[in-house]
Amino acid sequence: MATATLNTNSLGVTGAELTITTESLITLFVAAKTGSHNNHRVMLQVSPDAGTTWLNSPHSILGAGCYVVSLACTKVRAKVVEIEGATSTVDVWILAK
């Protein structure tokens, strides 16, 4: 499991990386912490080569929520891809199974 608090009013902020070994189901949880949560978008980024290259996954979360994807990769992390436009932070958790 990887956890982080992200400033969702700052574009491109990333959370801690989670190394994937045999897991293929990955869940991203985004929970509102402070401020507004109407406009920001957080997504998973995946790395096929242990963190040298990062690619955006095809799914994202607007505001708070969660999703589960099936991915083959070596590392994952959360990234802010759209900002809130006002003070905002979220807690994120990435779990792999």
Side-chain angles (χ1 to χ4, degrees), residues 20-26 69-72 96-97:
I20 304 300
T21 55
T22 61
E23 304 87 358
S24 62
L25 290 179
I26 301 167
V69 293
S70 178
L71 294 169
K97 183 173 184 175

Side-chain angles (χ1 to χ4, degrees), residues 1-3 15-21 23-28 44-47 50-51 54 73-78 93-97:
M1 178 173 66
T3 63
E17 301 171 6
L18 177 63
T19 299
I20 304 300
T21 55
E23 304 87 358
S24 62
L25 290 179
I26 301 167
T27 306
L28 172 64
L44 281 175
Q45 280 196 312
V46 298
S47 175
W54 289 97
C73 57
T74 60
K75 289 185 179 274
V76 294
R77 67 183 180 188
W93 297 266
I94 301 171
L95 295 126
K97 183 173 184 175

Side-chain angles (χ1 to χ4, degrees), residues 34-93:
T34 64
S36 300
H37 301 282
N38 301 311
N39 303 311
H40 63 74
R41 191 170 293 277
V42 176
M43 72 169 27
L44 281 175
Q45 280 196 312
V46 298
S47 175
D49 57 6
T52 301
T53 306
W54 289 97
L55 306 166
N56 292 337
S57 70
H59 308 285
S60 63
I61 296 173
L62 175 64
C66 70
Y67 68 82
V68 179
V69 293
S70 178
L71 294 169
C73 57
T74 60
K75 289 185 179 274
V76 294
R77 67 183 180 188
K79 180 181 180 182
V80 176
V81 293
E82 289 182 30
I83 64 168
E84 180 63 33
T87 300
S88 175
T89 61
V90 295
D91 286 332
V92 296
W93 297 266

